[in-house]
Amino acid sequence: MMHASRDDAIETLTLLPEGPFPNNPHYPVVLHRQVFPEADPAAIEATFAAHGWPPAWRWGVFDWHHFHAGAHEVLGCYRGSATLQLGGPDGPLVEVAAGDAVLLPAGTAHRSVAIRDGFTCVGAYPVGQEPDIQRGDPADREALEYRIHHVPLPAQDPVYGSPGSLTTGRRQ
C-alpha cells in the first residue's frame, strides 16, 4: 500500500510494510524529476558530496528486491532509463530517466525491472551511514525495523542542500 503526491518536479511515495520488506512508513520515497539536465555523473557526484552525501558507486540497480537497513540512499540517474519497482513484489513501478534523482529512505525495498539505453546512476549515502544489503529475511524483521527506525535523518537534501525533502516530501 502506498500514498502518492506530486509538487512540481517532485513526486513522493509513502510505502507501507509489505511481506518481508519493512519499507519506511515514516518517510517518503522522493523522486526529483529532471533536476540534472546535463546528466553528467561528475556533476551529480559533486552536488551530492556538497550536501553531505558522498558518492559511493556508479552502476545500475540490482534486479532483485533489496533494501538498506543502515542508510538512506540516493540514486542520481545519468544514462538511459529504467523501470524500478519499489516496496516489494506488489509495489509500484516507477519510471526513471537520465536527469532524475531518487531518494530512498532506509528500509525501502527496490529493484530494477527493466533497463533501457544503458541505464546507469550514481549511488550515494549520507556521511556516516553505512549501506548494507538486506533481502527481507523474515527472521531478521524485528531487528531490521529497529535499525531502520534509528537511522538518523540526513542534515541536507542531496539535491537541493536544504533540510528536508525526506521529511517534508518537497523542496525547501
Side-chain angles (χ1 to χ4, degrees):
M1 186 172 184
M2 69 168 190
H3 174 277
S5 68
R6 185 177 175 113
D7 177 19
D8 293 335
I10 297 176
E11 299 171 39
T12 62
L13 300 169
T14 300
L15 302 170
L16 300 177
E18 180 185 310
F21 301 105
N23 294 310
N24 197 317
H26 303 290
Y27 303 115
V29 171
V30 181
L31 302 158
H32 294 283
R33 298 296 189 175
Q34 295 302 296
V35 291
F36 297 110
E38 300 300 317
D40 172 33
I44 294 169
E45 289 171 336
T47 298
F48 291 166
H51 301 142
W53 293 68
W57 50 266
R58 290 184 186 180
W59 201 60
V61 176
F62 294 131
D63 63 358
W64 37 271
H65 294 285
H66 67 286
F67 63 92
H68 310 289
H72 305 292
E73 180 176 37
V74 65
L75 309 174
C77 308
Y78 66 88
R79 182 181 303 131
S81 63
T83 304
L84 303 180
Q85 185 170 38
L86 305 177
D90 295 323
L93 298 176
V94 175
E95 298 297 325
V96 296
D100 291 348
V102 181
L103 180 52
L104 300 164
T108 303
H110 54 288
R111 74 177 184 114
S112 67
V113 175
I115 60 171
R116 293 167 294 283
D117 303 320
F119 175 74
T120 316
C121 53
V122 169
Y125 310 91
V127 169
Q129 294 186 13
E130 294 295 326
D132 54 350
I133 296 178
Q134 302 292 330
R135 291 180 172 232
D137 182 347
D140 297 334
R141 177 76 179 262
E142 187 175 328
L144 291 172
E145 284 180 345
Y146 179 86
R147 285 184 58 211
I148 290 163
H149 180 73
H150 287 88
V151 173
L153 286 173
Q156 297 183 43
D157 177 90
V159 174
Y160 296 109
S162 59
S165 69
L166 191 60
T167 56
T168 65
R170 65 182 186 278
R171 179 177 25 194
Q172 294 185 335

